[in-house]
């Protein structure tokens, strides 16, 4: 979900620290014990940004996190605490070093 504001595409997720839309075009999916928790965590992780989200996932092995981020004509996927078995055309998995092994 996004809209164009003053010639710039912005998303619907706001950073509560600034009141501004999150400044990147990533998408985050979370596997958790409930849909409500997964929804809350995915929004919070998106606001944190990729590196802080990765660190958070490192300390919460009960959450499976899939971070998708556009990079030119493709999408780069970062997977933490889950195993990716297939990707859509045009999506590539980030370097293995960026993934946290499942526990």
């Amino acid at each position: 979900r996004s809209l164009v504001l003053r010639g710039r595409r912005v998303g619907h997720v706001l950073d509560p620290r600034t009141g501004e839309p999150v400044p990147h075009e990533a998408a985050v999916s979370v596997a958790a014990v409930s849909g409500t928790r997964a929804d809350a965590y995915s929004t919070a992780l998106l606001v944190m940004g990729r590196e802080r989200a990765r660190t958070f996932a490192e300390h919460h092995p009960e959450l499976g996190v899939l971070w998708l981020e556009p990079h030119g004509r493709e999408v780069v996927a970062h997977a933490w605490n889950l195993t990716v078995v297939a990707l859509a055309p045009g999506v590539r998995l980030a370097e293995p070093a960026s993934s946290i092994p499942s526990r």
Side-chain angles (χ1 to χ4, degrees):
R1 299 179 199 157
S2 64
L3 60 99
V4 177
L5 183 64
R6 291 178 285 229
R8 185 178 79 144
R9 182 166 298 282
V10 294
H12 73 285
V13 176
L14 300 179
D15 184 333
R17 298 167 295 193
T18 65
E20 295 289 322
V22 174
H24 48 75
E25 296 181 36
V28 183
S29 294
V30 174
V33 296
S34 76
T36 302
R37 286 185 184 183
D39 182 49
Y41 279 124
S42 66
T43 300
L45 294 173
L46 185 63
V47 170
M48 287 180 194
R50 187 177 68 227
E51 290 309 313
R52 286 186 61 211
R54 180 184 189 283
T55 300
F56 186 88
E58 212 169 56
H59 291 94
H60 293 85
E62 72 280 7
L63 300 177
V65 179
L66 179 63
W67 181 283
L68 300 173
E69 196 165 347
H71 186 73
R73 300 183 122 199
E74 65 181 3
V75 174
V76 177
H78 299 265
W80 307 306
N81 302 332
L82 54 81
T83 302
V84 175
V85 295
L87 292 168
V91 179
R92 72 174 168 84
L93 194 58
E95 309 302 319
S98 71
S99 296
I100 301 165
S102 296
R103 297 179 191 191

